[in-house]
Amino acid sequence: MVMDDKRAFARGFREILPLSMGAGIYGLAFGLLAAQAGLDDLEVGFMGTLVFAGASQIVAVERIVAGAGSLVAVVAGIALNLRLLLITASIRDVYAGRPFWQVVLGAHLTTDENWALMLAARARGEQAGYWYLVGAGINLILVWVVATVAGVSFASEIADPRALGMDFAFTAAFIAIARSLWAGRPDLVPWATSFLVVALLMLPGWVDASWAMIAGGVAGAVVAALGPGRHE
Amino acid sequence: MSDTWLVILLLAVATFAIRMCGALLGQRLPQQGSWARALKALPGSLIVALVSVSLLAGGPAEWVAGAIALVVATLTRNLVLTMAVGIGAIWLLRFYA
């Protein structure tokens, strides 16, 4: 790791802080749920480290609480994580030409939060690449594991994040990040397509929200690929 | 092995495979033409899809708070401030509306 890499790592580690605080609150809530599902601190710690995908952990454990069985819990978690394939594919330049262990590390540490943060930094014209992403990812995984283990250990003393409005933290963050990615008119049709596809699939209750999200994201990208515009 | 450990390990392996697939597959796709254009446009449309899902899953309180967050984001370009105002807005709206 040369000097520039260390600096990028530190910058990612620092700039993700507001988002990792949000993840921390969510981690406490997840620990609460995990306690209801009968998980202990060791299981929660391993799950956070090895899976490291908050929403899918919540859904899988929620299925266990609902008594749905192991297979359903795993499939529900996987369905929610399919978007990660699109997320890592969309930043292919970050992993390109790296040694295999770095690709493994970088891919495992890629989440919605540091992916979006890196894109926002790039949209501001800043340099942000592999080590920025990894620095932010290390911060996130530390906060996530500590918070989820704390949540399951002190389950009886934690307030509901929804009552505090904290569940809206990520929605607000992603609105800010979307605003910084907006590059003008050429984005209008793809973004509107993305929204409409999500709304059409989700509102009648035809498909689960995680499938609607994937379909919306892909539809927007396809429209952008077919149209003219700046993406050439 | 207990069911819980089975769920944890299966989900971990599958999630890692998904992440690696994207990272490796993405590099194999062409650097020009429609595939490249689609991949370039993907982050923006995915984030829009993500926001759409959470707003549509909510109600009027979420929509108003979302609009307020968008105004703050446009005016200030500040992530922390947008999050703070968004959380404050949703709290007030749920409490009083």
Side-chain angles (χ1 to χ4, degrees), chain A residues 16 76 170 192:
Chain A
I16 197 75
F170 285 122

Side-chain angles (χ1 to χ4, degrees), chain A residues 2 12 16 22 56 62 68 88 104 120 156 161 231:
Chain A
V2 295
I16 197 75
S56 75
E62 191 263 329
T88 51
V104 167
S156 54
H231 297 293

Side-chain angles (χ1 to χ4, degrees), chain A residues 44-109:
Chain A
V44 168
F46 268 99
M47 194 182 201
T49 312
L50 297 177
V51 179
F52 188 43
S56 75
Q57 290 179 233
I58 292 173
V59 165
V61 169
E62 191 263 329
R63 293 288 85 200
I64 294 176
V65 173
S70 304
L71 187 67
V72 177
V74 172
V75 171
I78 290 174
L80 212 61
N81 281 343
L82 283 178
R83 77 186 184 290
L84 289 172
L85 189 133
L86 302 178
I87 282 180
T88 51
S90 73
I91 50 168
R92 53 180 172 170
D93 64 290
V94 166
Y95 317 103
R98 299 252 158 212
F100 190 67
W101 71 268
Q102 288 188 4
V103 178
V104 167
L105 178 74
H108 181 61
L109 289 177

Side-chain angles (χ1 to χ4, degrees), chain A residues 6 12-13 47 49 95 106 118 121 130 143 155 185 202 210 212 214:
Chain A
K6 279 186 189 160
F13 194 92
M47 194 182 201
T49 312
Y95 317 103
M118 185 187 83
Y130 179 81
V143 170
R185 282 282 312 260
M202 206 180 129
S210 53
I214 290 168

Side-chain angles (χ1 to χ4, degrees), chain A residues 46-217:
Chain A
F46 268 99
M47 194 182 201
T49 312
L50 297 177
V51 179
F52 188 43
S56 75
Q57 290 179 233
I58 292 173
V59 165
V61 169
E62 191 263 329
R63 293 288 85 200
I64 294 176
V65 173
S70 304
L71 187 67
V72 177
V74 172
V75 171
I78 290 174
L80 212 61
N81 281 343
L82 283 178
R83 77 186 184 290
L84 289 172
L85 189 133
L86 302 178
I87 282 180
T88 51
S90 73
I91 50 168
R92 53 180 172 170
D93 64 290
V94 166
Y95 317 103
R98 299 252 158 212
F100 190 67
W101 71 268
Q102 288 188 4
V103 178
V104 167
L105 178 74
H108 181 61
L109 289 177
T110 302
T111 67
D112 311 58
E113 287 82 20
N114 54 348
W115 165 76
L117 185 82
M118 185 187 83
L119 293 170
R122 286 180 170 183
R124 288 194 304 269
E126 290 167 24
Q127 290 259 348
Y130 179 81
W131 290 109
Y132 182 92
L133 184 79
V134 168
I138 292 283
N139 183 326
L140 278 170
I141 202 168
L142 288 175
V143 170
W144 179 247
V145 171
V146 168
T148 52
V149 171
V152 76
S153 307
F154 305 104
S156 54
E157 293 151 46
I158 294 167
D160 175 12
R162 216 188 116 79
L164 304 170
M166 288 304 300
D167 58 305
F168 199 71
F170 285 122
T171 307
F174 284 122
I175 287 172
I177 286 164
R179 183 64 190 82
S180 65
L181 289 184
W182 171 258
R185 282 282 312 260
D187 283 333
L188 184 62
V189 176
W191 287 22
T193 306
S194 183
F195 170 78
L196 284 175
V197 167
V198 169
L200 284 175
L201 290 177
M202 206 180 129
L203 288 184
W206 289 335
V207 297
D208 192 62
S210 53
W211 292 108
M213 179 197 300
I214 290 168

Side-chain angles (χ1 to χ4, degrees), chain A residues 18-19 39 42-43 46-47 50-53 56 60 64 70 74 77-78 81-82 84-90 92 95-97 100 103-104 107-108 110-112 115-117 119 162-169 171-179 181 191 194-195 198-199 202 209 213 216-217 220-221 224-225 227 231-232, chain B residues 2-57 61-63 65-67 69-70 73-74 77-80 82-84 86-87 90-91 94:
Chain A
L19 287 163
L39 273 71
L42 189 71
E43 289 166 334
F46 268 99
M47 194 182 201
L50 297 177
V51 179
F52 188 43
S56 75
I64 294 176
S70 304
V74 172
I78 290 174
N81 281 343
L82 283 178
L84 289 172
L85 189 133
L86 302 178
I87 282 180
T88 51
S90 73
R92 53 180 172 170
Y95 317 103
F100 190 67
V103 178
V104 167
H108 181 61
T110 302
T111 67
D112 311 58
W115 165 76
L117 185 82
L119 293 170
R162 216 188 116 79
L164 304 170
M166 288 304 300
D167 58 305
F168 199 71
T171 307
F174 284 122
I175 287 172
I177 286 164
R179 183 64 190 82
L181 289 184
W191 287 22
S194 183
F195 170 78
V198 169
M202 206 180 129
M213 179 197 300
H231 297 293
E232 190 61 66
Chain B
S2 79
D3 274 7
T4 308
W5 280 109
L6 195 68
V7 169
I8 291 171
L9 289 180
L10 285 178
L11 191 57
V13 169
T15 304
F16 179 69
I18 290 168
R19 282 175 162 131
M20 281 302 281
C21 267
L24 297 177
L25 206 76
Q27 292 175 49
R28 260 153 240 244
L29 293 172
Q31 301 289 331
Q32 254 134 35
S34 350
W35 273 106
R37 281 201 301 274
L39 277 184
K40 229 175 183 170
L42 190 53
S45 54
L46 250 187
I47 289 190
V48 171
L50 226 122
V51 171
S52 307
V53 164
S54 33
L55 289 182
L56 291 172
E62 279 77 12
W63 306 337
L70 182 61
T74 302
R77 301 288 170 130
N78 186 318
L79 178 66
V80 182
T82 307
M83 288 173 77
I87 293 165
I90 198 74
W91 190 83
R94 280 182 193 155

